[in-house]
Amino acid sequence: MRYLEITVPKGKRPAVLEILEDEGIDYVVSDETSGRGYAAVVRFPVPTQAVEPLLDRLKRVGIGDEASVVVIDAETVISEQFATLRDQYAHGSQVGARTSRQVLRTKADELTPPFAIYAVMLLISAVVATSGLLADSPAVVIGAMVIAPLLGPALAANVGIVTGDDRLKATGFSYQAVGVTIVVLASIGLAALARLAGLEPAGVDIVVATELQERVAPNLFSLAVALGAGIAGILSLTRGFSEAIVGVMIAAALIPPSAAVGITVAWGMYGAAIGAGVLVIVNVLSINLAALATLWIAGYRPQGLFEVSPTRTPTYTYAAIFGIGLLVLTAPLASVTLLDFHTTELESAAEDEAETVLAEPEYADRELDDVEVELDGEYPIQSVERIVVTVTGQDPGTDPGLAGRLHEAISPHSDDPLVVEVQYVVSERRGHEADGDGSVRAASDPTSYRAARDSIPSVLVPPIGDV
């Protein structure tokens, strides 16, 4: 429920009261004596669903932006006439009732903090996110998402589009662009300092960290977070639900990928930086497109098929820009997704073929330990570099024909040339230990080394001994 207080300009009092009477609204009117050009002040309670259509009717009779309209949440209204009015506007439960365009615009504006606070919070978020990615710590990365104030700008831009508020739209888009830039630049600075200090987790290849790797080679599933964030953000704004969790979801789509751009640039891995950058842009477009589409579906759009509305053309234009940009940029994501599918299928097929080969009598002393498909690391679009088959056995030597046999069995499962490498894990029997019941059991110590390997193209390297 809402309680409205409207100042009525001189000459508009009869028209306003006629609308309120026609709607069956129980109102209180008092004369305005401030001398500011107003004739009266009207106060009345209405159901939440009635606010927008009522203000639209009042606007058509001259109660526009120059008038003062105050909308207040009302806890309880005890009135038989109000109960009749509530039944008239009821479309299901009052919980999650649709917010009026006027209130929506105010809420979106309130969610956008002053720029100084916005910039400082994003700097802090960038530092935390960069630290979390470098340390490969999901908990720290989540902390960065919690403090990032990105919900307001993402929603303000699209609310500004559908309500014709150019100031709100410009603020929303500029905040988004500046926010991403702040995170990228701060991440470059922090990552460069970390590299100069010798803090290189996982060695030179920084992207092997799980938290970072999934951002520099994004796939189509990455879109789910951004699209869901945009939809949830608008629903929280229009239906009065909590915005806190939704803000974290939007930050999850933007903060870690932006920090990943900065880290990979600092490490000179520009291919990986392009991959993370594409993810950032795709997520920005996805959030805005999903928010705009949700606003449209929720009814925040120009009314009437042939109505000439100042918001119709901008709404269509921005929707087309978001949609076309998203379609173009999802092409590399689709390629990465196909590669993921191919890698999974190839790994499964290679494992089956390896088990079949090792079941042959001449390899009776060998057992399959692991099969891994390794990519070439050429981000953002990678390709299969080799298949590494790890086998166990007590013989530290290599089997010269095993790599060729595996290559012959696995190659038909890929259209591209494959390199198959065999690595050996040596199990060294230490002796016998007595169990508590007096029986004797064998104790083994698996020992792995990468020097003993066999691969196709066929290059045999003698083992250098146990590690």
Side-chain angles (χ1 to χ4, degrees):
M1 295 174 291
R2 301 289 187 266
Y3 188 76
L4 274 65
E5 179 180 287
I6 302 175
T7 53
V8 182
K10 291 182 179 179
K12 303 296 182 181
R13 178 170 176 166
V16 170
L17 298 184
E18 181 181 353
I19 290 175
L20 298 181
E21 293 285 353
D22 183 58
E23 292 284 345
I25 295 174
D26 191 7
Y27 62 87
V28 174
V29 60
S30 58
D31 292 333
E32 223 296 316
T33 59
S34 65
R36 294 178 298 166
Y38 297 109
V41 177
V42 182
R43 304 174 182 86
F44 52 90
V46 291
T48 301
Q49 300 96 322
V51 173
E52 185 175 345
L54 178 62
L55 291 181
D56 287 343
R57 287 193 63 181
L58 291 174
K59 187 173 183 178
R60 286 193 287 269
V61 298
I63 307 299
D65 293 337
E66 72 281 358
S68 174
V69 179
V70 180
V71 182
I72 305 171
D73 286 335
E75 293 292 337
T76 304
V77 177
I78 302 175
S79 168
E80 183 176 344
Q81 189 169 352
F82 181 82
T84 303
L85 183 64
R86 182 174 54 192
D87 293 338
Q88 176 185 340
Y89 279 95
H91 300 289
S93 173
Q94 291 293 315
V95 177
R98 180 181 184 271
T99 302
S100 67
R101 290 198 304 271
Q102 295 80 4
V103 175
L104 180 68
R105 186 165 53 187
T106 301
K107 290 179 66 177
D109 197 18
E110 290 175 349
L111 286 172
T112 305
F115 182 78
I117 296 176
Y118 178 73
V120 170
M121 292 298 291
L122 278 181
L123 280 173
I124 298 172
S125 179
V127 171
V128 174
T130 304
S131 302
L133 291 175
L134 289 173
D136 198 19
S137 173
V140 177
V141 175
I142 292 173
M145 301 173 191
V146 173
I147 61 178
L150 292 174
L151 175 63
L155 303 184
N158 296 282
V159 171
I161 292 172
V162 299
T163 60
D165 190 328
D166 292 335
R167 183 196 60 82
L168 192 60
K169 177 180 66 178
T171 300
F173 283 129
S174 62
Y175 267 50
Q176 290 182 63
V178 172
V180 170
T181 303
I182 288 175
V183 175
V184 171
L185 294 178
S187 299
I188 291 175
L190 183 60
L193 291 175
R195 190 179 185 189
L196 290 174
L199 304 177
E200 297 187 0
V204 177
D205 189 6
I206 188 70
V207 298
V208 300
T210 304
E211 285 295 312
L212 191 59
Q213 189 173 38
E214 64 188 27
R215 269 96 186 185
V216 300
N219 55 34
L220 287 175
F221 297 110
S222 304
L223 291 175
V225 175
L227 291 172
I231 295 171
I234 291 300
L235 289 178
S236 69
L237 194 64
T238 60
R239 301 295 170 174
F241 302 136
S242 173
E243 295 93 0
I245 300 301
V246 180
V248 174
M249 193 173 182
I250 290 179
L254 297 179
I255 294 296
S258 299
V261 174
I263 293 172
T264 49
V265 167
W267 251 260
M269 303 182 66
Y270 300 112
I274 291 173
V278 168
L279 179 60
V280 172
I281 298 173
V282 165
N283 283 351
V284 170
L285 292 174
S286 299
I287 290 171
N288 284 279
L289 179 61
L292 194 59
T294 305
L295 285 168
W296 180 274
I297 294 172
Y300 298 95
R301 59 178 183 266
Q303 301 299 313
L305 182 61
F306 301 103
E307 179 183 352
V308 178
S309 170
T311 62
R312 179 180 293 277
T313 299
T315 300
Y316 291 160
T317 301
Y318 280 101
I321 292 172
F322 297 152
I324 294 173
L326 196 57
L327 287 175
V328 172
L329 291 176
T330 50
L333 272 65
S335 299
V336 174
T337 304
L338 293 176
L339 176 63
D340 290 343
F341 289 156
H342 173 64
T343 301
T344 302
E345 293 174 354
L346 183 59
E347 187 170 296
S348 178
E351 185 174 350
D352 292 340
E353 296 293 352
E355 289 178 347
T356 302
V357 170
L358 291 174
E360 297 175 1
E362 58 266 38
Y363 307 116
D365 60 337
R366 302 292 188 188
E367 292 183 1
L368 180 65
D369 181 69
D370 186 39
V371 175
E372 182 180 2
V373 177
E374 295 187 357
L375 305 180
D376 58 11
E378 296 294 331
Y379 298 98
I381 307 298
Q382 304 180 84
S383 59
V384 175
E385 182 179 47
R386 59 183 174 177
I387 298 177
V388 180
V389 180
T390 305
V391 298
T392 61
Q394 295 184 8
D395 184 3
T398 63
D399 298 305
L402 180 57
R405 184 72 184 84
L406 290 171
H407 182 271
E408 180 183 351
I410 297 173
S411 292
H413 296 281
S414 177
D415 296 331
D416 300 321
L418 291 177
V419 173
V420 177
E421 179 179 289
V422 180
Q423 296 184 359
Y424 294 86
V425 176
V426 179
S427 297
E428 191 176 75
R429 190 179 297 275
R430 283 181 168 177
H432 295 82
E433 297 176 3
D435 288 331
D437 58 1
S439 61
V440 178
R441 60 180 176 85
S444 63
D445 178 22
T447 307
S448 173
Y449 55 89
R450 296 182 61 89
R453 63 179 64 177
D454 190 11
S455 64
I456 293 294
S458 181
V459 177
L460 304 182
V461 180
I464 63 175
D466 297 341
V467 177

